[in-house]
Amino acid sequence: MGSVVKSTNKEVNGSVAVKNPTVVFVLGGPGSGKGTQCANIVEHFGYTHLSAGDLLRAEIKSGSENGTMIQNMIKEGKIVPSEVTIKLLQRAMQENGNDKFLIDGFPRNEENRAAFEEVTKIEPAFVLFFDCPEEEMERRLLSRNQGREDDNIETIRKRFKVFLESSLPVIEHYTAREKVRKIDAGRPVEEVFESVKALFTPKDEKAD
C-alpha cells in the first residue's frame, strides 16, 4: 500500500527519507502570481515545485482507493484531512530525491501547518508570501480566465475571503518566528522575480 522508497533512502518512522530537506511554503491569494514565480524559482535555483492541489487531483485521477475517498470528500464540500495531503506531499518528496522543495498552496490553515510539522518533523526554511492587492488579483483572474464559470466576480471574492480567513493565522504564526518573507506581488512579473531572487541567492553570491 505505502510508497516504495529506494533502498538508498531508508524511511525512518514514516518521516521524509531525504535527510533534512529544505522546504519553503509558498502562499498567496488566487491570482497573486505564485505559479509563475514558482516556475522561475525551479528554473533558476533547482527547487522541486510541489502543489498540494495538483497532488490531490493526480491521486483522484489514478483511481486509487485513496483517490476515490478524496474525490467523494471534495464532492461533498468537505475539507480533505491534513494527514491525507501530507502523506501525498511526503511520498512526492521521497520519490523525487531532491532536497529542496517549494510547497505551493499549503498549509491552507493552522491545522494543516501543525499537522505537517508534527508528521514530517520539518519546519519550513521560510514562508514566501505573495502579497497582492485584491483589486489586482481580481483584474488578473478576470482577464486570464474569460469564459471560465468558476471565475465570475462573486466566486473570486469568495475565494479571496476563504484565503484570508484560513491562511492569515498561518502567516501570523510564522511571522512571530521571523520566517515570513513578504513580496509585493502587485508589480510586473520581472520586478517581483527580482525580489524573489534576492531571497534565494546565497549571501556569499550577492554583490556587496
Side-chain angles (χ1 to χ4, degrees):
M1 283 287 291
S3 60
V4 178
V5 180
K6 292 187 185 75
S7 57
T8 49
N9 268 353
K10 293 210 167 58
E11 195 176 347
V12 184
N13 300 329
S15 62
V16 172
V18 179
K19 286 209 165 50
N20 305 320
T22 299
V23 168
V24 174
F25 288 147
V26 184
L27 296 175
S32 61
K34 283 190 295 125
T36 303
Q37 297 301 334
C38 282
N40 284 337
I41 296 164
V42 167
E43 191 184 330
H44 285 79
F45 298 103
Y47 276 70
T48 295
H49 178 210
L50 297 177
S51 156
D54 287 352
L55 289 172
L56 288 167
R57 282 187 284 275
E59 190 68 14
I60 290 168
K61 228 177 179 177
S62 75
S64 70
E65 201 179 314
N66 199 27
T68 307
M69 181 268 289
I70 293 166
Q71 189 171 28
N72 290 338
M73 292 200 78
I74 291 170
K75 264 189 197 153
E76 289 165 24
K78 292 179 183 164
I79 290 173
V80 177
S82 297
E83 284 70 22
V84 172
T85 309
I86 292 162
K87 278 198 178 123
L88 293 176
L89 286 166
Q90 272 189 305
R91 189 172 73 192
M93 288 163 87
Q94 286 166 349
E95 289 172 354
N96 183 274
N98 195 355
D99 62 352
K100 300 189 296 188
F101 297 92
L102 298 173
I103 297 186
D104 176 6
F106 185 93
R108 278 183 179 274
N109 54 40
E110 186 59 13
E111 194 261 331
N112 277 175
R113 178 204 65 73
F116 182 86
E117 290 186 12
E118 175 63 31
V119 173
T120 65
K121 305 290 182 260
I122 296 170
E123 262 207 49
F126 60 91
V127 177
L128 189 55
F129 173 38
F130 289 103
D131 190 23
C132 193
E134 196 169 314
E135 308 73 55
E136 176 60 19
M137 291 194 281
E138 209 170 272
R139 189 188 65 72
R140 289 177 185 177
L141 289 173
L142 289 170
S143 61
R144 186 176 73 187
N145 295 321
Q146 283 163 337
R148 257 184 59 178
E149 281 174 42
D150 61 339
D151 276 322
N152 61 50
I153 204 82
E154 287 76 25
T155 311
I156 287 170
R157 284 181 181 156
K158 249 184 232 162
R159 283 165 69 197
F160 290 152
K161 192 166 181 285
V162 167
F163 167 73
L164 281 174
E165 286 173 359
S166 56
S167 297
L168 275 183
V170 176
I171 291 159
E172 282 164 5
H173 172 88
Y174 287 120
T175 299
R177 282 161 177 68
E178 300 184 344
K179 285 190 175 228
V180 173
R181 308 289 179 266
K182 188 151 86 164
I183 299 279
D184 171 7
R187 299 168 296 160
V189 172
E190 298 75 19
E191 282 181 38
V192 174
F193 189 53
E194 283 307 311
S195 301
V196 169
K197 262 201 305 210
L199 296 176
F200 284 87
T201 304
K203 285 183 177 59
D204 52 359
E205 286 179 28
K206 288 181 187 172
D208 290 329

